[in-house]
Amino acid sequence: MEEWTFSYRVNAEDILESYNEAFGDFARQNGAAALLEGLLGTPLKQHIQGDSVLQLYVDIMEKARTRGKSIELPFRCDSPVMRRYMTMRVEPLRDGAVQFWTRVERTERFELPVPLLDTITPRNQETLTMCAWCKNILIDDEWYEIEDGVRKLELFDEPTCPEITHSLCHTCNETLYKELAALDKAQEVEQS
């Protein structure tokens, strides 16, 4: 298993305080170097898109802080050519701060590069909702694996792609909140 690699820290008020060199390198390698400019000292919520995604982060941080123990959750962070299956570890610190760690568990190459995920692909006026956790995309009230959705929308051959907005698909929302509820039950058992 890979080491915990990418890290950033938010203080008790959820303001970004620091990130490690690997986090900066990862952002630069994935076309998000601009994200790093002025990042520190800003609220984490400023960098999370979608009300349901923001609420999940708030709930995860609150759960870690109140439990006083780290929480680990799987997620995906894909590139245009690769599915990246990762784990996020949210570690509470004594001063109310929270340290986020992530590591890559495994990768798989996409059959074809996915232009929708490429930060240099020109964008059009349309928007497309993507699950922030599993990277499925929403088309006509149905969630599709990203390659299937891109194929369905015929985006592989288009010169531009829609803007991406983020949410949580029903499956991820249900699964993640079940995992958080299970932590409460485990803590109750530990305390009894």
Side-chain angles (χ1 to χ4, degrees), residues 41-80:
T42 62
L44 179 63
K45 69 180 182 180
Q46 181 177 315
H47 307 283
I48 297 173
Q49 188 184 61
D51 292 341
S52 61
V53 182
L54 177 58
Q55 188 60 54
L56 176 63
Y57 270 84
V58 167
D59 292 344
I60 291 169
M61 290 186 296
E62 179 63 24
K63 184 79 63 190
R65 287 172 173 139
T66 58
R67 290 182 73 230
K69 294 182 180 179
S70 296
I71 296 172
E72 293 184 16
L73 298 166
F75 73 105
R76 273 181 49 187
C77 183
D78 295 348
S79 76

Side-chain angles (χ1 to χ4, degrees), residues 58-73 88-94 96-98 176-191:
V58 167
D59 292 344
I60 291 169
M61 290 186 296
E62 179 63 24
K63 184 79 63 190
R65 287 172 173 139
T66 58
R67 290 182 73 230
K69 294 182 180 179
S70 296
I71 296 172
E72 293 184 16
L73 298 166
M88 173 191 297
R89 179 174 161 195
V90 183
E91 180 180 325
L93 304 175
R94 289 185 183 187
V98 175
L176 291 164
Y177 278 102
K178 278 183 181 177
E179 288 187 40
L180 292 178
L183 294 173
D184 287 337
K185 289 179 185 175
Q187 187 166 10
E188 289 172 14
V189 169
E190 288 174 9
Q191 293 174 345

Side-chain angles (χ1 to χ4, degrees), residues 116 128-131 134-139 142-151 153 155 164:
L116 182 68
L128 185 63
T129 302
M130 176 182 287
C131 178
C134 70
K135 304 305 176 229
N136 285 353
I137 55 177
L138 183 63
I139 303 170
E142 204 171 323
W143 292 94
Y144 292 85
E145 170 65 37
I146 191 159
E147 282 180 295
D148 296 336
V150 168
R151 216 175 262 112
L153 294 172
L155 296 177
I164 300 172

Side-chain angles (χ1 to χ4, degrees), residues 13-29:
E13 289 77 39
D14 299 338
I15 304 297
L16 287 154
E17 287 188 327
S18 64
Y19 58 84
N20 69 1
E21 187 176 331
F23 179 89
D25 290 344
F26 186 76
R28 284 185 283 279
Q29 291 166 5

